[in-house]
Amino acid sequence: MSTPMNPVPELSRRRLLQLFAAAPLLPLSALGSASVLAGCGGDNAVVPAVLPVVAATLSSVTFSSMAAPTLANAAAMATTSVGSVMTASFSDASKLDFKLAYQPFFITGDLVADGNGGKTLAGGYYDIYNQPIIDATVTGKERQYFSDAPDGTSLLTVANAKVTGVKGNTVFAVVQFEYATSAQDGVSPMYGRLPSPIGVLTLDQDPATGKLALVKYYNVDTSSVNGLWITCGASLSPWGTHLSSEEYEPNAFTAATDTQFRAFSKNLYGSETAANPYNYGHMPEVTVNLDGTASIKKHYCLGRISHELVEVMPDNRTVLMGDDATNSGYFVFIADKEKDLSAGSLYVAKVGAGFSLDPAAATPAAPLTWIKLGSATSAEIKKLATTLKPSDIMDVRSTDPSNAAYTKVAANGRIEWIKLTPGMEKAAAFLETHRYAALIGASMGFSKMEGTTVNIKDKIAYSALQNCQSSMVAGNVANVPGNGVSISKLLNAGAIMMLNLKGGIKDTLGGAIASEWMPVDLKALMAGEDISSDALGNTANPDKVANPDNLKFSEKMRTLFIGEDSGQHVNNFLWAYNVDTRQLSRVMSIPAGGESTGLHAVDEINGWTYIMSNFQHAGDWGAIHSIVKPTLDPLIKANYKEKFGAAVGYLTGELSQVRLSKA
């Protein structure tokens, strides 16, 4: 019998199966599992007390693509359906396959442990006094409001954390809840009418399997930041904090009469007039404490825009921001100090010639130049927010005043005429950012610019355009000729753009920009495809990404993960795109009528890899659902609390194939 060149003690097959039977849902631990599985042998091998580490490194990760569910399996359309296999390949030519599965921590509306021996409502709403906000729209069934729209999620650790009840490793997940679709009467709309909650989940990570178990749910006290407004996407900062969002900043000029904002104020403060619109549309940051509680602050100096999902570059200073609005733009904030977003400079892009949504376009990428909007501290802008009225900053007209002192602009999907008050440039730049950016000639022509993420190795950022319509289409009233953002016809299915990042850039006035991570051009990576309605009701090609929203990039897996917010796919999907092989794979299907949210690709926590994923508003039916609704509506109601609940969880790996020997 010959001796192997690299002898490795073998596990018995029986012992191996026992190990994995204890962890049927195994998070994606590529390197750790490789060390165990690489030398698997026969039934009679002896299990050593300590296994040596096999010298094999991760070479690549691929995902098989699952088929989109159909009415042939209606149950799969009415829940989170996963049919993808993740294959990890190693430098010694070995491979590991993980059949993926979805594991929720809870469905919103569940009563979960509060860490103090009691229970609390997952996704529950609270007012400025931290008292539950009660839904009394159905007599005799009064209950606390809870969200059906969990969104941005960050999985993180805190050094020396200690929480009662954790037996393994202490891991935290910060989860924000964007809105509640409706009151329990099913009629009263609640979008934007409740202050968004944020929860911190203390999770017990099993050191042997990587499995995560919920131990404690803590509702973050947001009273110090005047509550939160429509928290959408989120990201984890390089220094371990949760960067939240407040999108669709309330219109300060109409807030006093706006039904939605007055209801928000009433639910938050108990008064329809107490909330100040200038306190919303900013960048909240959550810091988790050692005991699973958390603190929050709100940064006022990153521009008051439709913050969706920001990405901080590796320099710990440069922040590329999504701007989920009609007539949106690319904004970059550069902090004065590393790991501190409380002061810095704000820039907005101008798009040069050559903009295209065709990934195969022969023309080069459209160049980007940068206008400096100003420099400020959060404290000084917060002071302006609390002391100025909108009319102090500028005069805004909805009809042409026939006065040369006013400038016609397209902002937030509307045509307006603006006259800036002398000396109010800084206030306008940071509190009326969309209007001011349009006023000074920025390319405010994008529609629904959503998630952003970064590929550090290649110095490329990715940005999602959920749809490409209205302000992007030549001839549309919201389109600004000559601003660089113009397509000949709309593309409802949207696109994902790529931006090369470089240093040594100067702004349009010749000032040096203190960053090595500035976007310098813009080119399409992939685009969706609008189609006539198919047999199931899809109006976008179901085998391509449609209406991309969440984006997260994994450096180790070289994979761009894409979550959809699509009104064109009957089921929204979570996709994986390998940037080296250009392979696009459908990984998970969201319950019909729902939206894929909360995406966070975590390369490594204590040796384990995770893909965090939530969904929103299952069974939120549109015209495309007319074929499936009669079958799926009762199933979704049964699965998700009459459609008031939604899942917060993560993708795990269930071992589907075990290689018992190596070639």
Side-chain angles (χ1 to χ4, degrees):
M1 184 174 181
S2 62
T3 302
M5 295 179 63
N6 183 24
V8 178
E10 297 177 332
L11 287 171
S12 73
R13 183 175 182 274
R14 184 177 298 107
R15 174 57 178 149
L16 184 67
L17 294 177
Q18 287 173 346
L19 286 173
F20 285 104
L25 291 172
L26 182 70
L28 316 179
S29 177
L31 294 175
S33 294
S35 299
V36 174
L37 295 179
C40 297
D43 283 335
N44 298 319
V46 177
V47 180
V50 179
L51 289 174
V53 175
V54 177
T57 58
L58 182 68
S59 297
S60 65
V61 173
T62 60
F63 294 84
S64 67
S65 190
M66 63 176 280
T70 68
L71 286 175
N73 184 0
M77 296 185 72
T79 188
T80 46
S81 178
V82 185
S84 176
V85 174
M86 188 198 87
T87 299
S89 299
F90 298 90
S91 58
D92 61 356
S94 64
K95 293 184 177 181
L96 284 175
D97 287 341
F98 296 93
K99 182 180 178 182
L100 299 181
Y102 184 71
Q103 179 66 41
F105 297 122
F106 55 75
I107 304 298
T108 56
D110 285 351
L111 289 172
V112 295
D114 64 3
N116 297 312
K119 299 286 186 179
T120 190
L121 189 69
Y125 285 91
Y126 297 86
D127 63 19
I128 200 72
Y129 309 106
N130 290 307
Q131 296 302 304
I133 303 175
I134 303 301
D135 180 350
T137 58
V138 178
T139 303
K141 293 186 177 181
E142 293 80 3
R143 62 161 174 82
Q144 184 180 1
Y145 278 105
F146 58 87
S147 175
D148 65 336
D151 208 300
T153 299
S154 297
L155 192 71
L156 57 94
T157 58
V158 177
N160 302 314
K162 186 173 180 59
V163 180
T164 301
V166 175
K167 299 177 182 178
N169 300 321
T170 304
V171 176
F172 301 108
V174 183
V175 183
Q176 57 195 45
F177 300 89
E178 187 177 3
Y179 59 87
T181 299
S182 68
Q184 61 177 328
D185 63 4
V187 177
S188 304
M190 297 307 297
Y191 178 84
R193 289 166 165 80
L194 294 165
S196 294
I198 292 186
V200 177
L201 317 184
T202 298
L203 305 171
D204 188 349
Q205 183 192 50
D206 188 326
T209 68
K211 185 176 181 180
L212 302 172
L214 180 64
V215 170
K216 174 183 176 179
Y217 180 107
Y218 173 80
N219 184 70
V220 178
D221 179 0
T222 64
S223 59
S224 64
V225 295
N226 304 292
L228 299 176
W229 168 266
I230 312 180
T231 55
C232 194
S235 65
L236 181 67
S237 73
W239 52 93
T241 58
H242 174 86
L243 300 179
S244 181
S245 58
E246 291 185 312
E247 71 173 8
Y248 309 125
E249 77 281 12
N251 187 343
F253 287 85
T254 61
T257 57
D258 182 78
T259 301
Q260 180 193 48
F261 190 73
R262 289 176 67 88
F264 169 83
S265 182
K266 175 72 172 179
N267 284 313
L268 177 59
Y269 286 103
S271 164
E272 290 187 339
T273 60
N276 173 7
Y278 279 147
N279 282 329
Y280 308 99
H282 302 289
M283 174 55 60
E285 181 177 14
V286 176
T287 301
V288 179
N289 301 321
L290 299 178
D291 61 354
T293 61
S295 61
I296 188 170
K297 53 189 171 184
K298 197 179 284 190
H299 300 292
Y300 283 66
C301 53
L302 279 79
R304 186 169 167 269
I305 61 175
S306 188
H307 287 289
E308 164 75 12
L309 195 163
V310 309
E311 184 72 32
V312 180
M313 301 299 144
D315 63 356
N316 292 317
R317 296 177 59 230
T318 305
V319 186
L320 178 61
M321 296 181 273
D323 183 18
D324 185 9
T326 301
N327 295 109
S328 56
Y330 280 108
F331 291 89
V332 167
F333 176 80
I334 301 177
D336 290 343
K337 300 177 182 178
E338 288 191 29
K339 304 180 182 181
D340 181 357
L341 302 181
S342 65
S345 299
L346 183 64
Y347 298 85
V348 63
K350 285 181 66 71
V351 180
F355 177 78
S356 171
L357 295 179
D358 181 4
T363 55
L368 298 176
T369 53
W370 294 92
I371 302 170
K372 185 175 182 179
L373 293 172
S375 300
T377 68
S378 181
E380 66 178 311
I381 302 304
K382 183 177 180 180
K383 183 176 180 180
L384 294 177
T386 56
T387 57
L388 293 176
K389 302 186 296 295
S391 58
D392 294 330
I393 300 172
M394 59 177 61
D395 187 25
V396 176
R397 305 287 181 90
S398 58
T399 58
D400 188 351
S402 299
N403 185 330
Y406 289 78
T407 301
K408 181 182 177 181
V409 302
N412 296 305
R414 297 180 295 271
I415 300 301
E416 298 176 332
W417 287 260
I418 294 174
K419 182 176 72 172
L420 183 66
T421 302
M424 285 292 171
E425 288 79 7
K426 178 173 285 192
F430 290 93
L431 293 177
E432 290 291 343
T433 309
H434 278 139
R435 290 183 169 107
Y436 185 69
L439 184 67
I440 63 174
S443 293
M444 303 300 291
F446 298 97
S447 61
K448 291 191 69 61
M449 186 191 298
E450 306 255 3
T452 59
T453 191
V454 64
N455 169 350
I456 296 172
K457 178 182 177 181
D458 298 330
K459 293 195 78 169
I460 295 174
Y462 305 102
S463 173
L465 296 173
Q466 188 205 358
N467 50 51
C468 303
Q469 55 190 23
S470 59
S471 61
M472 295 185 67
V473 182
N476 187 284
V477 66
N479 181 257
V480 179
N483 76 349
V485 184
S486 186
I487 54 179
S488 60
K489 64 177 182 178
L490 59 80
L491 177 62
N492 285 320
I496 297 175
M497 310 304 292
M498 55 192 298
L499 303 89
N500 285 301
L501 307 170
K502 294 182 180 179
I505 306 302
K506 294 184 178 181
D507 65 31
T508 53
L509 295 180
I513 300 177
S515 172
E516 295 297 313
W517 296 87
M518 287 297 291
V520 295
D521 55 28
L522 183 64
K523 186 176 178 63
L525 174 70
M526 67 177 73
E529 179 187 354
D530 296 338
I531 62 173
S532 300
S533 182
D534 67 12
L536 201 61
N538 295 300
T539 59
N541 188 336
D543 293 324
K544 293 184 177 181
V545 174
N547 311 115
D549 188 330
N550 283 209
L551 296 181
K552 288 295 168 69
F553 187 76
S554 167
E555 292 288 334
K556 287 187 177 180
M557 290 187 270
R558 298 285 293 164
T559 297
L560 177 66
F561 292 97
I562 306 158
E564 293 182 337
D565 176 9
S566 180
Q568 296 181 262
H569 281 170
V570 172
N571 286 87
N572 277 206
F573 306 120
L574 174 64
W575 302 85
Y577 176 78
N578 187 293
V579 297
D580 297 320
T581 65
R582 300 184 182 180
Q583 177 182 338
L584 179 68
S585 304
R586 184 188 290 107
V587 174
M588 180 166 70
S589 174
I590 301 302
E595 171 188 341
S596 176
T597 63
L599 183 59
H600 183 201
V602 186
D603 279 342
E604 194 276 332
I605 287 187
N606 299 319
W608 302 92
T609 302
Y610 301 90
I611 305 169
M612 312 304 293
S613 184
N614 310 327
F615 69 80
Q616 295 182 352
H617 53 72
D620 186 9
W621 306 122
I624 67 167
H625 299 104
S626 60
I627 296 169
V628 304
K629 179 181 176 181
T631 301
L632 299 185
D633 194 57
L635 298 177
I636 289 178
K637 285 181 176 177
N639 288 342
Y640 302 111
K641 296 182 170 65
E642 295 296 309
K643 299 196 295 189
F644 289 106
V648 171
Y650 66 109
L651 280 166
T652 73
E654 181 180 359
L655 197 67
S656 58
Q657 297 180 18
V658 177
R659 186 183 180 93
L660 298 179
S661 62
K662 295 176 65 178

